[in-house]
Structure formats: structure tokens, C-alpha cells
Amino acid sequence: MLPTLSAILLLAAGLIHSFSLMCRKLPPGRRPRLYPHQVMPQVGIDLLWLVLCLAGLSLAFQLSVWLGAMATALYFVVLPFVFQLPMAKMMGFKSLRDYLESIDS
């Protein structure tokens, strides 16, 4: 039960983290309607993913130090790349390259 809960919390945190990060990089006119425009709700979203991440990682470390270290590495190294392309497509971009070009200009 704990490994599953840890994985669910980390996946949810990764999804919210990717959404928040990708929306912040976009110009205000290109941000999805779902993303808040005020600062306090944006901070709330960031606190939410942070709490979920810490809860998931603490559960993983309770199971074993090795599992906690693996979960930490996977969360910060692998998971961001897993969510970027689907998130860009959900935001209406044709590809990740299209998203990256819109934040550079």
C-alpha cells in the first residue's frame, strides 16, 4: 500500500510541477485558462506540488533508503521529461519544439 501511495503522490506532484513550470514560462497571453493569473493561487499550486512531492518521497524513504534515493532521482531527472510533451500538447502546441519556440520569442 505505501509504495503505491508514494508513487501516486509523486506522479501527481510531477504532473502539477510540470504544469506550473511550463505555464510560468509562457507569455501571459498564451497561458491556459486553467492556470491562475494572480500570484497567490500560483504560489498555492507550487506549494501543492511541493507538499505532494515531500509526502511521496518521505513515504519512499520510510520503506527503504535505497527506494527513497531512487524515487528522488527519478522524480527530478526522469519525470519532468515524461510530462513535457503531453503537457505541451494539452496546452495546444503541435510539439514540444513549438512550445519551446513560443517561450523563446
Side-chain angles (χ1 to χ4, degrees):
M1 178 71 179
L2 286 181
T4 304
L5 182 58
S6 175
I8 290 171
L9 288 172
L10 289 172
L11 286 173
L15 183 65
I16 296 168
H17 188 183
S18 292
F19 177 71
S20 177
L21 180 68
M22 290 179 76
C23 286
R24 280 185 193 258
K25 288 184 177 183
L26 287 172
R30 292 287 316 246
R31 292 180 182 164
R33 281 184 270 149
L34 184 62
Y35 190 72
H37 298 289
Q38 295 84 17
V39 173
M40 289 310 290
Q42 291 174 0
V43 170
I45 289 174
D46 289 337
L47 287 175
L48 176 63
W49 76 256
L50 188 59
V51 167
L52 290 173
C53 178
L54 291 175
L57 290 176
S58 73
L59 285 175
F61 274 107
Q62 285 177 10
L63 292 165
S64 77
V65 173
W66 183 85
L67 183 63
M70 275 307 252
T72 303
L74 288 173
Y75 181 84
F76 288 106
V77 176
V78 175
L79 207 52
F81 298 107
V82 170
F83 287 124
Q84 284 180 352
L85 177 61
M87 191 70 62
K89 288 190 176 194
M90 270 186 4
M91 291 180 187
F93 296 98
K94 289 184 253 177
S95 64
L96 191 56
R97 180 176 301 240
D98 190 30
Y99 166 80
L100 292 173
E101 287 173 358
S102 74
I103 63 173
D104 286 339
S105 56

